[in-house]
Amino acid sequence: MEKAEMVVKEEQTRLGSIRIADEVVKIIAGLAATEVPGVAGMSGGVVGGIAEMLGRKNMSKGVKVEVGEKEAAVDIFVVVEYGVRIPDMAAQIQENVKNAIEKMTGLTVVEVNVNVQGVVFSQEAREEEHRVR
């Protein structure tokens, strides 16, 4: 059975209606999260004990949203770069996601939960590993 597109916000104006799909809210949240320094990418969950990192095309897969008529709650699943101070980065993700969703959709974001699913090493660390082998 084909999944119907969920409309999370619908507004009637004098010229017609405006509809925002839940997928749009998820993409906004994912893009806002990856703008934060230290975020390596979105996570699709933990598979076999290893966090699966998603590319840009799957931005909404690392995000869950619950949306009412006027409010939204967001769960973000990220992979971070090694050496980043996670509490500071998570607070910045919360602010970015809240501001982006509220600015673009008019919804009030009441909660942004950040779930760190993995850590990756920078490119420099990867290059050093190859020299040692």
Side-chain angles (χ1 to χ4, degrees):
M1 182 165 22
E2 195 172 308
K3 183 182 169 189
E5 181 178 322
M6 287 286 296
V7 174
V8 297
K9 183 171 181 183
E10 185 168 358
E11 189 176 311
Q12 194 66 36
T13 68
R14 67 179 182 84
L15 294 175
S17 63
I18 300 168
R19 295 187 182 112
I20 301 172
D22 67 342
E23 188 73 9
V24 172
V25 178
K26 288 179 178 182
I27 291 169
I28 292 167
L31 288 169
T34 57
E35 288 175 350
V36 175
V39 175
M42 303 303 291
S43 173
V46 179
V47 180
I50 299 171
E52 173 196 13
M53 194 155 85
L54 303 169
R56 287 235 178 239
K57 291 182 181 179
N58 295 316
M59 202 57 70
S60 65
K61 299 286 192 247
V63 181
K64 291 182 184 174
V65 295
E66 286 182 44
V67 183
E69 287 182 27
K70 297 180 181 185
E71 295 180 336
V74 182
D75 289 302
I76 301 273
F77 299 86
V78 296
V79 176
V80 300
E81 294 173 1
Y82 178 78
V84 149
R85 181 157 159 60
I86 293 173
D88 294 343
M89 183 211 56
Q92 194 172 354
I93 290 171
Q94 289 172 319
E95 281 300 312
N96 270 23
V97 169
K98 177 178 171 40
N99 292 339
I101 291 172
E102 288 182 350
K103 181 180 176 184
M104 292 184 73
T105 68
L107 292 164
T108 300
V109 177
V110 294
E111 191 173 273
V112 178
N113 300 307
V114 178
N115 301 279
V116 178
Q117 305 261 244
V119 177
V120 297
F121 294 98
S122 70
Q123 188 62 34
E124 292 175 19
R126 287 188 188 132
E127 288 172 4
E128 285 181 15
E129 277 181 16
H130 293 295
R131 279 189 262 160
V132 174
R133 291 181 185 180

